[in-house]
Amino acid sequence: MVKLRARCLLVGDAAVGKSALIHMFHSDGTLFQKNYSMTTGVELLLKCVNIPETNDSVELYIIDSAGKETLVEACEKMWGEPSLLCLVFDLTSEQSFANCSRWMERVRAHCQGLHVPGVLVGNKSDLSARREVQASVAQEWAQSQGLEYHETSAREMENCDAPLLSLARAFQSLYQERREIIQNLIPG
Amino acid sequence: MTESSLSALGAKVVVAASCDENHPPENIIDGNTKTFWMSTGMFPQEFIIRFVEPTKISAVTVDSYNVKHLKIEKNTSRNASQFEPVTEKEFEHTEGHLQSNAISLNGSNATHLRFIITTGYDHFVSVHRVNIQN
């Protein structure tokens, strides 16, 4: 049994639904924020995820960071060295998807060259009539960046656990992989 | 030079910031580099070793993997609190074999040594052996 700890960075453009998504996840689907209130700084949320079929768990320290361009620089100072990445865009906003590359660049600058498992999340899947980003396009870009793709609707409580659960799983496999390497090391 | 492991001398690890039950902190002081303690994510990480009595330490040796920066603090109290900084060191990155570093403590007297790993070369680091020279 192991309890792992991961610093999970939550980023993406303003108003794509990062906070709504993470509060749904954090409250196990009981709390959808109906009224929009822009995150202007950084909010820290703590959530422990049990990895199914194991005795292991991952304590996620989720850093919900403001997406608004003018606030990003100040928030970046609080990102630290992330262990995991959750990059969110709005399926009804082509622009928020296009800006994901910029977000990736910003995040990479904080990763010290380490491999940081990540997911790309297309949120607001309930607004199908207004969809501007096709799943196949998002999926392809995610793959090119080494991210796993998910679509969610925080409003309809659709799939909100999946991205974070998959991140927790990825962190646990990374741990197991590294532990195996260390077990096979030779003394210095 | 002492060749006995710290645990054979009665020392104990009284605090560790991470615990994988298969790689417990006691592995740090059992004198065996095949057994190890592993951090389970995020930095800083730390562990505290308590000696049976105030001990004069000229140097510590640390066998580890992926540790980037280590700070050492000490106290001469019976409790694991109120530490004072002693030294810090940046470790070289190694691949495929352990990092082995000797760190001078200039004959400091201590009942507790606190090891703070502030950064690593990976998400996880391991410490295989800590020994002291009197």
Side-chain angles (χ1 to χ4, degrees):
Chain A
M1 194 193 84
V2 190
K3 186 174 206 166
L4 303 172
R5 284 194 206 106
R7 194 175 178 91
C8 176
L9 193 55
L10 177 66
V11 293
D13 277 7
V16 299
K18 298 183 292 300
S19 302
L21 182 69
I22 217 63
H23 281 278
M24 282 302 276
F25 170 71
H26 187 252
S27 66
D28 296 312
T30 59
L31 190 75
F32 177 70
Q33 300 171 310
K34 287 203 180 65
N35 298 312
Y36 179 66
S37 151
M38 189 172 73
T39 307
T40 52
V42 162
E43 191 188 1
L44 176 68
L45 289 107
L46 188 62
K47 171 103 177 176
C48 193
V49 179
N50 294 316
I51 309 290
E53 290 143 38
T54 71
N55 290 319
D56 299 348
S57 56
V58 181
E59 207 169 42
L60 294 171
Y61 291 71
I62 303 160
I63 316 270
D64 179 8
S65 187
K68 194 167 169 58
E69 191 60 40
T70 47
L71 302 168
V72 177
E73 207 174 312
C75 292
E76 271 195 58
K77 296 191 177 83
M78 282 173 277
W79 287 3
E81 288 178 32
S83 331
L84 298 168
L85 166 68
C86 182
L87 173 54
V88 187
F89 70 96
D90 176 350
L91 286 164
T92 70
S93 157
E94 172 73 44
Q95 190 58 50
S96 74
F97 175 62
N99 287 342
C100 285
S101 326
R102 177 82 189 92
W103 283 108
M104 278 308 280
E105 278 171 38
R106 282 200 182 106
V107 172
R108 282 213 181 93
H110 289 261
C111 293
Q112 316 286 331
L114 289 188
H115 164 64
V116 172
V119 289
L120 176 70
V121 180
N123 191 33
K124 310 193 189 177
S125 62
D126 52 293
L127 303 175
S128 49
R130 284 166 45 195
R131 181 189 272 264
E132 290 184 5
V133 183
Q134 293 314 309
S136 56
V137 178
Q139 174 87 53
E140 195 176 319
W141 185 80
Q143 208 165 358
S144 75
Q145 302 295 310
L147 304 172
E148 194 178 297
Y149 183 58
H150 294 266
E151 290 193 357
T152 57
S153 164
R155 191 169 74 175
E156 301 294 326
M157 302 182 204
E158 274 292 308
N159 215 22
C160 294
D161 288 355
L164 278 296
L165 191 57
S166 122
L167 283 175
R169 273 211 186 90
F171 198 65
Q172 190 233 13
S173 0
L174 191 65
Y175 178 77
Q176 288 180 330
E177 205 178 282
R178 296 304 196 263
R179 191 172 56 184
E180 191 125 319
I181 292 174
I182 290 171
Q183 269 159 346
N184 294 318
L185 289 173
I186 6 169
Chain B
M1 278 295 272
T2 165
E3 285 304 316
S4 330
S5 69
L6 286 175
S7 53
L9 297 169
K12 286 192 162 60
V13 180
V14 291
V15 169
S18 283
C19 189
D20 176 338
E21 60 186 10
N22 293 314
H23 302 281
E26 299 86 73
N27 287 353
I28 296 171
I29 54 169
D30 65 1
N32 183 353
T33 52
K34 288 204 176 92
T35 63
F36 58 90
W37 165 79
M38 186 160 165
S39 76
T40 58
M42 305 216 302
F43 293 99
Q45 289 285 335
E46 71 170 78
F47 57 90
I48 296 175
I49 297 175
R50 172 184 290 163
F51 303 105
V52 182
E53 51 189 8
T55 306
K56 190 169 161 271
I57 302 164
S58 62
V60 292
T61 54
V62 179
D63 294 275
S64 57
Y65 195 61
N66 278 331
V67 173
K68 190 170 187 181
H69 193 88
L70 175 75
K71 283 196 213 171
I72 299 178
E73 299 182 350
K74 64 146 201 172
N75 77 14
T76 49
S77 136
R78 293 167 62 92
N79 303 316
S81 61
Q82 293 181 322
F83 284 86
E84 52 175 288
V86 187
T87 185
E88 46 192 289
K89 184 166 179 168
E90 188 97 9
F91 287 8
E92 298 267 336
H93 185 216
T94 58
E95 214 152 312
H97 64 90
L98 296 183
Q99 302 164 306
S100 194
N101 286 274
I103 303 159
S104 168
L105 297 194
N106 295 317
S108 293
N109 221 31
T111 47
H112 291 92
L113 281 184
R114 180 184 191 189
F115 296 78
I116 305 166
I117 301 160
T118 56
T119 50
Y121 289 104
D122 197 1
H123 296 288
F124 311 105
V125 301
S126 56
V127 178
H128 298 242
R129 181 173 63 188
V130 169
N131 235 333
I132 59 165
Q133 271 86 53
N134 299 108

